[in-house]
Amino acid sequence: MESKEVTFTEQAKSLDELRQDCANRQKKGLHFIVASVVIWAAVSVVFMTDLPIETKNLLTFCCAAPLLPLAWMISKVIKVDFQGKGNPLTQLGVIFSVNQILYILIAMWVFSAVPEKMLMVYAMIFGAHLMPYSWLYQSKSYMVLSVIIPIAALICGLMVEPYVLANMMLGFEMAFVVGLKLEISNNQ
């Protein structure tokens, strides 16, 4: 009986070591969050124009399209192991991201059904998809923002113009970068 407990403890320790390795090598996904600052800045610009809401919504999807190449370029600058080869939990992080793609289908439906609320739904999906990364990277920043962003996006999206929401998201993302940098520096 005791050997099974030791084995479980060893496995838990090994899992925590893999998570720590992933967080260190990936710098807690900082390259993706910095890329999202650029994307939300572009979305903010789009929503401050006089274009029709349908065009703004379409451009929002277009703004998000370069996320992966942008994150890759940023990873080179800040020296992040983009692929994280050798750590099986890297694949889990990919699954977390792919999961968001399925939820974007909801935003696409809102795009045609209630176009003036598409950005709100998009922001809520973005925020909520951060939660699993709080476990993977052992990050309070991910946990806090994964709860705050969807709630704030809902409230803001129901009460104010979409450009305010876009600017709020940009502010959250900039604060997120600062939070992650603090976490990374405290773990070194």
Side-chain angles (χ1 to χ4, degrees):
M1 191 70 151
E2 189 172 314
S3 65
K4 286 186 180 180
E5 288 180 25
V6 171
T7 303
F8 178 75
T9 303
E10 289 173 358
Q11 288 175 347
K13 182 178 179 186
S14 177
L15 181 59
D16 282 343
E17 289 169 353
L18 285 171
R19 289 167 59 202
Q20 189 61 48
D21 175 68
C22 194
N24 290 340
R25 290 171 57 184
Q26 298 285 310
K27 291 192 179 179
K28 297 192 177 201
L30 180 62
H31 51 305
F32 278 98
I33 303 306
V34 171
S36 73
V37 168
V38 174
I39 288 167
W40 280 107
V43 170
S44 291
V45 169
V46 165
F47 273 88
M48 287 190 277
T49 67
D50 291 331
L51 294 168
I53 189 67
E54 292 81 4
T55 304
K56 291 177 182 181
N57 288 343
L58 182 59
L59 289 173
T60 296
F61 286 121
C62 293
C63 288
L67 174 66
L68 203 55
L70 190 56
W72 179 80
M73 287 187 286
I74 293 165
S75 76
K76 297 299 177 196
V77 173
I78 65 173
K79 297 176 178 49
V80 169
D81 179 6
F82 188 78
Q83 293 182 328
K85 290 182 179 177
N87 188 326
L89 292 183
T90 302
Q91 292 302 324
L92 185 59
V94 171
I95 290 169
F96 293 162
S97 293
V98 171
N99 186 35
Q100 182 184 13
I101 293 170
L102 296 173
Y103 297 129
I104 292 299
L105 295 172
I106 298 166
M108 289 177 173
W109 174 80
V110 175
F111 178 92
S112 64
V114 193
E116 59 279 354
K117 298 301 178 197
M118 198 281 297
L119 187 64
M120 175 186 77
V121 171
Y122 187 82
M124 291 169 68
I125 292 167
F126 171 81
H129 106 281
L130 300 170
M131 189 173 282
Y133 292 101
S134 69
W135 177 84
L136 181 63
Y137 296 139
Q138 300 170 315
S139 169
K140 289 180 181 167
S141 295
Y142 276 95
M143 178 56 76
V144 168
L145 287 169
S146 74
V147 173
I148 290 174
I149 289 173
I151 293 169
L154 175 64
I155 293 167
C156 190
L158 292 174
M159 298 177 71
V160 297
E161 294 296 317
Y163 77 90
V164 176
L165 172 60
N167 286 316
M168 179 191 76
M169 288 301 296
L170 177 58
F172 276 139
E173 291 309 289
M174 291 189 297
F176 198 176
V177 168
V178 172
L180 285 180
K181 286 182 125 184
L182 289 171
E183 284 184 18
I184 291 165
S185 66
N186 288 338
N187 287 342
Q188 291 177 347

